[in-house]
Amino acid sequence: VITILTGGTGGAKFVDGLRRVVPPEELTIIVNTGDDHEWWGLYVSPDVDSITYVLANMLSNERGWGVRGDTFHCLQAMKELGEPAWFSVGDRDLATHLLRTKLLAEGRTLSDATAHISQKLGVRSRILPMSDMRVDTHVDTPAGDLSFEEYFVKRRYQDPVKAVRFVGAAEAVPADGVLEAITSAQAVFLAPSNPVTSIGPILAVPGIREALKATSAPVVAISPIIGKAAVSGPAAGLMVAQGIEVSISGVAAAYSDFLDVLIADLADSALAESLASNRPQVHCTDILMRTAEDKARIARTVLTLALPEILAEPAAEAQ
Ligand code: GDP
């Protein structure tokens, strides 16, 4: 089993590559739930949804979230009824939130609801929320203490960030299967996800960081940072607020207690060279994922580094 820790955007692109080069049954994906929030009374889990949709081959590549070809009639109708409409929910996507909310109201855990929905959508990989307990990412800004979705979607990550907190993390426990998925994996990959608000909440759940340190599997991360900037989104500002340098050195330092290999961009070759004597090892390649071919190529590179034997038998490339 290959275990991946991920958020929703960079993570979904990486998972899209992996599903094309390894049998999906071999993948267990541990997903950030710090962005989860209530919307129109429904329980929305944005990163779990992105990972579910990409593995079900339903993710909108243009938007990077939601269902490909979805319509937004309900969103429009809610707007006309005077309800908030800053968080876009497509009609097809809405069904996922309705079903999840129904299952949770029946007393099922988020893990159960995730397994049920992903199985109905034909997903053959295992998707595990990091915890079944609520962990809420809060972003402290001069405009006030914002939930992650208020900071990211409503206010388009324009506010300066003073601090980031994971409310509930200290009391949370990993969801069933999370620790075993790390300790018994053949390889563990950290997707090129936001180190602060996607990987950060996962690492804040007690026990997960220790499992990463303890596992005998190689732990490999793909950098979301190229040069001194994030490929997309607010990672840079959030890293500065958390005292993490915005560079591959910063990413390496944030994960230095458990990371074996960092995959960085060719643009960072010189810096990679200067880090060469330290752990993690740094391997440079083109890490921008624009096309399906890019994604599959990066997945193959990461697999070759972590598990040379797994690619020995040519996997049938999906879609
Ligand atoms: P979120 O949950 O939506 O924040 O998604 P993630 O945390 O999984 O992904 C956001 C991160 O993905 C950002 O920090 C980006 O820099 C990174 N990212 C997006 N596209 C790419 C890409 O093509 N290559 C790499 N290396 N990183 C990317």
Side-chain angles (χ1 to χ4, degrees), residues 47-88:
D47 291 355
V48 168
D49 290 337
S50 291
I51 296 302
T52 304
Y53 294 152
V54 78
L55 288 166
N57 198 21
M58 290 167 63
L59 185 74
S60 164
N61 281 324
E62 293 91 75
R63 280 186 265 111
W65 53 267
V67 176
R68 190 186 308 129
D70 212 349
T71 54
F72 291 86
H73 299 299
C74 182
L75 182 71
Q76 184 57 33
M78 286 298 263
K79 201 188 261 179
E80 286 161 17
L81 287 168
E83 291 301 306
W86 54 263
F87 186 80
S88 293

Side-chain angles (χ1 to χ4, degrees), residues 18 168 303:
L18 283 173
L303 283 163

Side-chain angles (χ1 to χ4, degrees), residues 288-310:
L288 269 186
M289 295 178 279
R290 295 186 199 86
T291 62
E293 291 70 37
D294 291 340
K295 294 171 189 167
R297 176 181 49 74
I298 290 168
R300 263 190 244 102
T301 303
V302 176
L303 283 163
T304 310
L305 281 167
L307 293 172
E309 66 285 358
I310 204 163

Side-chain angles (χ1 to χ4, degrees), residues 43-45 48-53 55-56 58 67 92-104 108-125 127:
Y43 187 98
V44 179
S45 190
V48 168
D49 290 337
S50 291
I51 296 302
T52 304
Y53 294 152
L55 288 166
M58 290 167 63
V67 176
R92 196 64 223 279
D93 193 21
L94 187 59
T96 301
H97 311 318
L98 284 165
L99 177 54
R100 176 187 295 117
T101 306
K102 169 180 175 273
L103 294 169
L104 293 174
R108 309 269 291 262
T109 61
L110 184 60
S111 301
D112 279 349
T114 301
H116 178 87
I117 294 167
S118 63
Q119 190 243 327
K120 289 285 177 197
L121 293 176
V123 172
R124 288 181 290 146
S125 307
I127 305 173

Side-chain angles (χ1 to χ4, degrees), residues 59-233:
L59 185 74
S60 164
N61 281 324
E62 293 91 75
R63 280 186 265 111
W65 53 267
V67 176
R68 190 186 308 129
D70 212 349
T71 54
F72 291 86
H73 299 299
C74 182
L75 182 71
Q76 184 57 33
M78 286 298 263
K79 201 188 261 179
E80 286 161 17
L81 287 168
E83 291 301 306
W86 54 263
F87 186 80
S88 293
V89 173
D91 298 320
R92 196 64 223 279
D93 193 21
L94 187 59
T96 301
H97 311 318
L98 284 165
L99 177 54
R100 176 187 295 117
T101 306
K102 169 180 175 273
L103 294 169
L104 293 174
E106 287 168 3
R108 309 269 291 262
T109 61
L110 184 60
S111 301
D112 279 349
T114 301
H116 178 87
I117 294 167
S118 63
Q119 190 243 327
K120 289 285 177 197
L121 293 176
V123 172
R124 288 181 290 146
S125 307
R126 191 162 175 228
I127 305 173
L128 299 174
M130 64 191 198
S131 177
D132 282 324
M133 295 159 76
R134 270 307 276 274
V135 175
D136 276 310
T137 300
H138 282 240
V139 183
D140 188 16
T141 73
D145 183 30
L146 307 174
S147 74
F148 182 76
E149 294 302 334
E150 281 173 327
Y151 163 74
F152 184 64
V153 180
K154 187 177 186 188
R155 300 175 65 87
R156 298 172 198 272
Y157 52 88
Q158 296 304 306
D159 298 279
V161 179
K162 295 202 278 185
V164 179
R165 289 182 300 133
F166 308 119
V167 177
E171 301 79 42
V173 292
D176 276 355
V178 165
L179 298 181
E180 297 73 13
I182 294 170
T183 52
S184 67
Q186 291 168 278
V188 179
F189 298 150
L190 271 69
S193 289
N194 188 316
V196 178
T197 52
S198 291
I199 303 297
I202 304 178
L203 298 179
V205 177
I208 295 187
R209 196 166 198 127
E210 289 67 28
L212 286 162
K213 287 189 216 172
T215 187
S216 55
V219 182
V220 182
I222 301 91
S223 177
I225 303 294
I226 300 180
K228 292 184 182 341
V231 175
S232 63

